[in-house]
């Protein structure tokens, strides 16, 4: 086991581990982000529809912030995007903890989402910049693992802080943002590649939007993660089957445990297959997992469905990261990561919104059947898109210097 862990974590540069540590600190301290819904319901006593609106607006802000964030990362550098947006994000977090009016909280949620969204493309691009091509997928997977490990710790810490003093949620979250930013400021240098091509000086999003292969991939990514985000409707199924609302926390913990325990060991398995095959398999697993929820009526049955779609989520995360790296032009890396981040965060709004609409008007059984069918359709689309992606990767490999060559298919 120790040898396997060394194989998973060894050989990565120090700059990556500083980025990884900052990610772990930031997510472990994200107590207000995780507990925001509970805080607005139980402390501020707002109704559920308004709480859902606040969370949705925050997701929209994060998606929108990713687009200018990618431009900033390519035009002025990774550090200005990461360091410049994190401080106002921390101040906005503190202001949200003090706000009482509904309009003020909505505006602050939107601003917070935008600031956090600006950071994400630069952070991902920095990891890709500092890690050699053959190790980039492993590094991105380690960062995803740290994100989930920190999320689990934050969920435990949030409950404790909320019982002591709710304002501690926002102060702790802001403090974690500042601590992680300070670490990046002190230890991670500017990683943006030198501007040695004409395209490097054109920092608009047009270069990404004109890349039909990448935009098709981003669209499929949006759909895939929207399917996963439909898990927010699981409480409705649990209640319909007579289970307590707290059962959702008990079954969704399966997701976190499987990711923390298994995500580190999947890259070696995924490396044996083409990415379109992995993405197709992941879509089938996600669709099947949620489809089985239509037949579940006990806690253990729901836990099994979560295990099935979590395996799909893990595979989808690995393959999506790999394809996003391979299809990104090195001189537009921040912008490509910005559009990719927009797809991921946009799904956080799209999935629950559409899932809630279908649940309200047609019931959860119809929702899970629809997710199953969409999962099969997504699998077919990934298989069909595979050849075009391979041609695009081959083109980029011939254009890139050795240090910037993407990992092979």
């Amino acid at each position: 086991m120790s040898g396997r862990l060394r194989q998973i974590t060894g050989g990565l540069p120090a700059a990556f581990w500083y980025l990884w540590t900052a990610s772990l600190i930031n997510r472990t301290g994200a107590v207000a982000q995780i507990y925001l819904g509970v805080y607005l319901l139980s402390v501020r006593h707002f109704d559920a529809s308004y709480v859902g609106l606040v969370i949705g607006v925050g997701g929209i802000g994060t998606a929108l912030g990713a687009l200018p964030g990618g431009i900033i990362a390519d035009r002025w550098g990774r550090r200005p995007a990461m360091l410049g947006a994190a401080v106002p994000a921390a101040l906005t977090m503190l202001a949200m903890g003090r706000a009482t009016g509904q309009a003020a909280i909505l505006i602050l949620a939107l601003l917070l989402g935008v600031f956090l969204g600006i950071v994400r493309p630069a952070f991902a691009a920095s990891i890709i910049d500092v890690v050699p091509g053959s190790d980039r997928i492993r590094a991105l997977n380690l960062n995803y693992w740290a994100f989930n490990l920190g999320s689990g710790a934050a969920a435990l810490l949030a409950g404790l802080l909320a019982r002591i003093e709710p304002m501690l949620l926002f102060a702790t979250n802001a403090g974690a943002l500042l601590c992680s930013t300070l670490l990046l400021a002190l230890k991670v240098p500017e990683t943006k590649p030198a501007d040695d091509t004409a395209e490097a000086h054109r920092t608009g999003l047009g270069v990404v939007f004109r890349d039909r292969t990448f935009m098709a991939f981003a669209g499929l990514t949006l759909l895939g993660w929207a399917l996963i985000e439909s898990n927010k409707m699981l409480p409705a199924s649990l209640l319909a089957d007579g289970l307590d609302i707290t059962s959702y926390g008990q079954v969704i913990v399966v997701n976190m445990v499987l990711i923390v325990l298994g995500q580190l060991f999947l890259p070696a398995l995924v490396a044996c297959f083409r990415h379109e095959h992995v993405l197709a398999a992941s879509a089938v697993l996600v669709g099947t997992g949620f489809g089985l929820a239509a037949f579940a009526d006990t806690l253990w049955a729901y836990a099994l469905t979560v295990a099935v779609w979590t395996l799909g989520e893990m595979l989808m995360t690995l393959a999506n990261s790999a394809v996003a790296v391979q299809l990104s032009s090195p001189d537009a890396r921040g912008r490509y990561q910005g559009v990719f981040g927009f797809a991921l965060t946009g799904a956080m709004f799209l999935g629950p919104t559409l899932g809630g609409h279908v649940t309200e008007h047609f019931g959860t059984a119809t929702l899970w059947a629809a997710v199953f069918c969409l999962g099969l359709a997504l699998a077919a689309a990934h298989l069909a898109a595979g050849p075009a992606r391979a041609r695009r990767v081959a083109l980029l490999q011939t254009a890139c210097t050795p240090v910037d060559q993407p990992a092979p298919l």
Side-chain angles (χ1 to χ4, degrees):
M1 179 64 74
S2 61
R4 179 64 181 144
L5 286 175
R6 281 195 297 272
Q7 182 181 357
I8 293 169
T9 61
L12 295 172
F16 164 75
W17 289 112
Y18 288 125
L19 288 161
W20 184 92
T21 302
S23 183
L24 183 62
I25 292 172
N26 190 30
R27 196 58 194 170
T28 301
V31 287
Q33 294 167 252
I34 286 177
Y35 226 60
L36 182 59
V38 176
Y39 166 81
L40 293 174
L41 285 169
S42 61
V43 178
R44 294 301 184 190
H45 305 293
F46 294 125
D47 58 67
S49 60
Y50 171 77
V51 172
L53 179 62
V54 172
I55 295 173
V57 165
I60 292 172
T62 303
L64 293 176
L67 299 179
I71 294 174
I72 293 169
D74 281 342
R75 177 175 295 176
W76 292 298
R78 318 313 192 205
R79 282 171 62 89
M82 291 190 295
L83 306 183
V87 173
L91 295 176
T92 305
M93 181 69 69
L94 290 173
M96 185 177 290
R98 304 293 299 178
T100 57
Q102 292 191 5
I105 292 174
L106 275 174
I107 293 171
L108 290 170
L110 179 64
L111 288 175
L112 179 63
V114 169
F115 291 136
L116 294 176
I118 288 173
V119 174
R120 290 190 176 194
F123 191 91
S126 295
I127 293 177
I128 299 169
D129 291 339
V130 302
V131 176
S134 59
D135 291 325
R136 285 170 182 164
I137 307 310
R138 179 162 62 101
L140 290 169
N141 187 58
L142 283 168
N143 186 64
Y144 176 69
W145 182 80
F147 179 92
N148 282 278
L149 183 64
S151 295
L156 296 175
L157 181 60
L160 175 63
L161 294 176
R163 283 192 292 270
I164 297 172
E165 167 54 54
M167 186 60 195
L168 286 175
L169 292 169
F170 299 91
T172 300
N173 208 147
L177 281 168
L178 293 176
C179 287
S180 61
T181 303
L182 180 62
L183 176 63
L184 295 175
L186 294 176
K187 293 296 185 179
V188 180
E190 178 57 60
T191 64
K192 177 178 174 289
D195 294 343
D196 54 2
T197 67
E199 180 55 51
H201 298 282
R202 296 195 294 268
T203 51
L205 291 170
V207 62
V208 186
F209 292 153
R210 289 190 298 270
D211 187 339
R212 285 187 274 184
T213 301
F214 185 85
M215 291 305 297
F217 163 69
L220 295 180
T221 298
L222 175 65
L223 175 59
W225 279 98
L227 297 183
I228 292 173
E229 288 296 325
S230 66
N231 78 79
K232 303 299 190 298
M233 294 299 108
L234 277 175
S237 279
L238 292 164
L239 289 175
D241 286 326
L243 298 173
D244 189 271
I245 189 61
T246 59
S247 300
Y248 176 71
Q250 297 174 50
V251 298
I252 206 66
V253 75
V254 174
N255 174 265
M256 183 196 72
V257 170
L258 284 178
I259 290 174
V260 170
L261 294 181
Q263 190 71 31
L264 292 181
F265 302 96
L266 278 179
L269 174 63
V270 170
C272 301
F273 302 93
R274 293 180 64 86
H275 290 133
E276 64 265 30
H277 296 161
V278 176
L279 284 168
S282 71
V284 171
L285 284 168
V286 168
T288 301
F290 285 111
L292 289 172
F295 305 98
D297 57 4
T298 67
L299 194 64
W300 287 106
Y302 276 106
L304 176 62
T305 70
V306 173
V308 174
W309 63 256
T310 294
L311 179 57
E313 177 189 351
M314 294 160 69
L315 292 173
M316 192 178 292
T317 299
L318 273 173
N320 272 339
S321 296
V323 175
V325 169
Q326 290 180 339
L327 294 179
S328 299
S329 175
D331 52 19
R333 192 168 282 155
R335 284 164 284 167
Y336 273 87
Q337 287 299 315
V339 174
F340 179 61
F342 178 88
L344 292 176
T345 52
M348 296 178 186
F349 174 77
L350 183 64
T353 301
L354 292 181
H357 179 78
V358 173
T359 298
E360 181 179 348
H361 292 90
F362 304 102
T364 54
T366 301
L367 172 64
W368 305 137
V371 172
F372 173 69
C373 293
L374 286 171
L376 297 182
L378 179 62
H382 275 301
L383 292 175
R389 292 174 190 163
R391 290 191 295 270
R392 169 69 176 163
V393 170
L395 269 173
L396 285 171
Q397 285 178 331
T398 59
C400 294
T401 59
V403 70
D404 278 321
Q405 284 182 355
L409 280 172

